[in-house]
């Protein structure tokens, strides 16, 4: 915000001055006066330009109607500015079918008629400048619909919101934060996310950790964003994760939705603090070389009266036909991707998080529900496209537009699709008819992996292909292997309780073998909070994860094992640099179903540092397990789950093994090793 410049009179310091001095002083004063006048004119012009730039113009409305106003959030919503020399807040809202729109808030004691808004054009944007409004004020739009109904709506473009159960928007300032992550942002521009490591820690901030109070009536025990910055960073660095993926950051009214039913797309939830507090969290993580990914929900929105649903009494943000505009199973509304203004709202929102809040990428929720018109619907509940098919052609175009724009403008950022079907080319280039995502959650691998791991080891031999099938399509997309929050809720049990076995040690041994297989398999990685130490209870947003389990040796041993896996992953490029290339992976034995043992190699690009994995998925110890190896030479044991610190027997195994010229697994050379029950051995060569 500009300030008026007032010229100060210069004063002599006292004593007699000769004429030359006086003339010189006069010349200096004239020069200073001219300089100051030029500065004042320049600042006046800047101030005038700022006053003009905040207002919605015909060009703004044109671009908005073309879905190409990528900074529309700088105009829509509520913004502090100076207009006609007066400081206040400029408000604007899109309500195309409204008969009238009024601004109500704390600045006018919620008076319903004192602040009518002005309709700017046929597109249906209304605006008003309120001199008496200030940062921190609560407000809503009172919209009079065509039928005469009064609708009290929160601002779709608001940058902050009242803490639930309140539903008002809050005027916020998001342009004053001092970022200190320039080194990270510059490095991101040249980053190759496909050949670099990516081990993601998925976090629900409200239940990662909570403050413990003696007064249990205090429901809000959340860590705020600034507290999270310190504690979360410490944990993530200690473990070795490269990224955090944050759930439920955009404002949402109901804790139990975990943030997947959004009412404030442009507002970091006030549960954990202010927008600047959230910026601090991102900045802090970046300074500690940790990437930040947000869950993002462009697939649907809730019916809450203050939200986007029937915003001006008509279907503004959602499809008007219920067969396209509603999810019967979820009870939510579906965005109308045929409307340019709606597409602009969403595309600009994706850019908002990446460019304004420095977020490194978005994980896009429920992509399949957007792509298929019949998703979750019975016959008669959905409307075919113009060709009679079940593909949402408008959503397809939306994805291509959004991904091309965001990734084109922000080199090094990532867009991740949670897409649960076999839709082709999700990570393909839009110019080749792909959707343009960077990465895709590998849901097929996840389902097969969990189906296998749940089995009693006796029956695993008959389901061996569940662990090998994913390699038949591993290079069809750029994949992330995920064990997310979705797998430990809704009576699905925790990862710990999915495992077979009647006692803790056996369940945790299964988890160690499973995690080792996951980290060795091609694809980036994601684990949900609590899974790295064997959380026993199913996850609930109402309580923090069970950190107390780390006080028990068996859970600490799993925790240490996962930490060692992450160390192995980050320290060996063969684990990630060729994830999308066939040459990066090689089965040694994919067919040892009778013993339920898998052996494979991860190759490095230069061929100099490779890893051999051997994973045993039965409680049977193999005293002298022989495995084929690709070549002669020395094989060094770099990870052994049988170490005492991981809960193993503690038997000391030698560290180096010379390949013997003995046929095994159709290989000329092999090594023999004592493989423990549910044992994992990783060798470098």
């Amino acid at each position: 915000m500009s300030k008026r410049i007032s010229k100060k009179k210069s004063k002599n310091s006292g004593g007699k001055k000769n004429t030359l001095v006086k003339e010189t002083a006069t010349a200096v004063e004239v020069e200073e006066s001219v300089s100051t006048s030029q500065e004042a004119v320049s600042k006046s012009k800047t101030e005038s330009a700022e006053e003009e730039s905040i207002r919605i113009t015909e060009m703004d409305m044109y671009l908005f109607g073309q879905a190409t106003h990528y900074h529309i959030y700088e105009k829509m919503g509520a913004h502090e500015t100076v207009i006609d020399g007066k400081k206040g807040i400029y408000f604007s809202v899109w309500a195309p079918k409204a008969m009238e729109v009024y601004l109500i808030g704390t600045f006018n004691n919620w008076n319903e008629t004192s602040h009518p808004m002005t309709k700017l054009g046929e597109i249906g944007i209304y605006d008003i400048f309120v001199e008496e409004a200030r940062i921190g004020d609560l407000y809503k739009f009172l919209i009079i619909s065509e039928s005469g109904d009064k609708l009290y709506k929160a601002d779709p473009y608001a940058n902050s919101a009242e803490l639930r159960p309140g539903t008002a928007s809050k005027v916020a300032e998001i342009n004053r934060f001092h970022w200190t992550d320039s080194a990270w942002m510059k490095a991101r521009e040249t980053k190759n996310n496909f050949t670099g490591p990516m081990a993601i820690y998925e976090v629900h901030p409200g239940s990662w950790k909570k403050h413990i109070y003696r007064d249990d009536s205090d429901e809000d025990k959340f860590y705020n964003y600034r507290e999270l910055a310190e504690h979360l960073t410490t944990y993530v660095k200690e473990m070795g994760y490269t990224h955090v993926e944050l759930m439920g950051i955009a404002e949402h009214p109901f804790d139990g939705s975990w943030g997947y039913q959004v009412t404030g797309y442009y507002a970091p939830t006030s549960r954990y603090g202010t927008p600047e507090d959230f910026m601090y969290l991102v900045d802090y993580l970046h300074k500690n070389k940790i990437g930040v990914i947000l869950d993002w929900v462009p697939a649907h929105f809730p019916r809450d009266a203050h939200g986007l649903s029937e915003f001006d009494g008509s279907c503004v943000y959602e499809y008007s036909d219920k067969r396209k505009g509603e999810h019967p199973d979820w009870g939510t509304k579906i965005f109308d991707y045929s409307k340019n203004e709606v597409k602009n709202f969403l595309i600009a929102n994706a850019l908002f998080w990446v460019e304004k809040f420095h977020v490194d990428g978005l994980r896009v929720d429920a992509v399949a529900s957007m792509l298929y018109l019949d998703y979750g619907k019975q016959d008669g509940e959905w409307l075919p496209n113009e060709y009679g098919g079940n593909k949402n052609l408008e959503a397809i175009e939306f994805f291509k537009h959004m991904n091309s724009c965001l990734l084109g403008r922000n080199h090094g950022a990532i867009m991740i699709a949670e897409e649960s079907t076999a839709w082709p080319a999700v990570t393909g280039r839009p110019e080749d008819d792909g959707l343009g995502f960077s990465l895709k959650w590998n849901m097929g691998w996840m389902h097969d992996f969990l189906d296998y791991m749940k089995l009693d080891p006796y029956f695993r031999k008959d389901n061996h292909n569940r662990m090998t099938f994913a390699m038949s399509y591993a290079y069809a997309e750029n994949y992330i292997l995920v064990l997310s929050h979705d797998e430990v809720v809704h009576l699905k049990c925790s990862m710990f309780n999915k495992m077979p076995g009647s006692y803790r040690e056996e369940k945790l041994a299964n988890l160690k073998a499973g995690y080792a297989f996951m980290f060795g398999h091609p694809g980036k990685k994601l684990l949900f909070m609590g899974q790295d130490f064997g959380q026993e209870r199913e996850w609930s947003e109402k309580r923090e994860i069970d950190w107390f389990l780390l006080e028990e040796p068996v859970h600490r041993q799993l925790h240490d094992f996962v930490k060692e896996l992450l160390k192995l992953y980050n320290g060996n490029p063969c684990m990630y640099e060729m994830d999308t290339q066939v040459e990066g992976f090689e089965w040694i034995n994919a067919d040892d179903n009778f013993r339920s043992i898998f052996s494979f190699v991860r190759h490095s690009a230069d061929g100099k540092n490779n890893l051999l994995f051997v994973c045993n998925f039965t409680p049977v110890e193999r005293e002298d397990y022989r495995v084929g190896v690709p070549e002669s030479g020395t094989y060094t044991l770099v990870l052994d789950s049988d170490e005492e610190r991981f809960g193993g027997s503690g038997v000391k195994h030698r560290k180096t093994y010379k390949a013997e010229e003995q046929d095994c697994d159709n290989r000329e050379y092999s090594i023999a090793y004592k493989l423990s029950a549910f044992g994992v051995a990783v060798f470098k060569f």
Side-chain angles (χ1 to χ4, degrees), residues 639-669:
L639 180 64
D640 178 12
S641 65
D642 202 32
E643 287 188 41
E644 188 174 6
R645 63 184 174 130
F646 302 137
S649 67
V651 172
K652 297 291 184 181
H653 297 142
R654 55 193 173 95
K655 291 297 182 181
T656 58
Y657 296 79
K658 184 73 173 176
E660 301 170 340
E661 195 169 349
Q662 181 174 338
D663 289 351
C664 183
D665 299 325
N666 296 315
R667 309 282 172 155
E668 184 178 349
Y669 292 92

Side-chain angles (χ1 to χ4, degrees), residues 538-671:
E538 189 174 79
W539 173 63
S540 169
E541 82 285 349
K542 296 178 181 178
R543 60 175 182 260
E544 72 172 22
I545 56 175
D546 295 339
W547 294 104
F548 60 83
L549 289 175
L550 284 172
E551 298 174 9
E552 301 187 26
V554 289
H555 287 278
R556 173 60 70 176
Q557 289 158 0
L558 172 63
H559 191 249
D560 290 344
F561 184 73
V562 174
K563 187 190 299 185
E564 195 67 23
L565 281 175
L566 284 160
K567 181 180 177 182
L568 185 74
Y569 176 77
N570 289 308
N572 292 277
C574 66
M575 295 276 276
Y576 53 78
E577 67 180 348
M578 296 179 72
D579 273 335
T580 59
Q581 300 175 52
V582 175
E583 296 81 8
F585 178 90
E586 178 186 6
W587 283 114
I588 295 297
N589 192 337
D591 302 314
D592 194 357
N593 62 302
F594 183 77
R595 292 184 292 187
S596 297
I597 297 175
F598 301 87
S599 52
F600 55 86
V601 168
R602 294 302 304 272
H603 291 285
S604 63
D606 61 9
K608 296 180 179 179
N609 291 283
N610 314 295
L611 293 177
L612 166 67
F613 281 73
V614 182
C615 302
N616 179 11
F617 285 94
T618 68
V620 179
E621 182 183 276
R622 305 294 173 180
E623 189 66 33
D624 190 31
Y625 184 78
R626 183 165 292 277
V627 58
V629 293
E631 58 192 42
S632 62
T634 300
Y635 289 74
T636 303
L637 183 64
V638 293
L639 180 64
D640 178 12
S641 65
D642 202 32
E643 287 188 41
E644 188 174 6
R645 63 184 174 130
F646 302 137
S649 67
V651 172
K652 297 291 184 181
H653 297 142
R654 55 193 173 95
K655 291 297 182 181
T656 58
Y657 296 79
K658 184 73 173 176
E660 301 170 340
E661 195 169 349
Q662 181 174 338
D663 289 351
C664 183
D665 299 325
N666 296 315
R667 309 282 172 155
E668 184 178 349
Y669 292 92
S670 62
I671 61 173

Side-chain angles (χ1 to χ4, degrees), residues 450 454 484-499 507 531 535-539:
L450 291 180
K454 291 174 188 175
S484 73
H485 70 277
D486 276 332
E487 312 319 314
V488 292
V489 292
H490 299 319
L491 303 180
K492 294 179 184 176
C493 299
S494 63
M495 285 297 299
F496 173 88
N497 279 319
K498 291 183 196 297
M499 298 300 106
K507 288 179 179 291
Q531 293 177 356
Q535 167 89 15
E536 295 187 7
R537 293 187 291 179
E538 189 174 79
W539 173 63

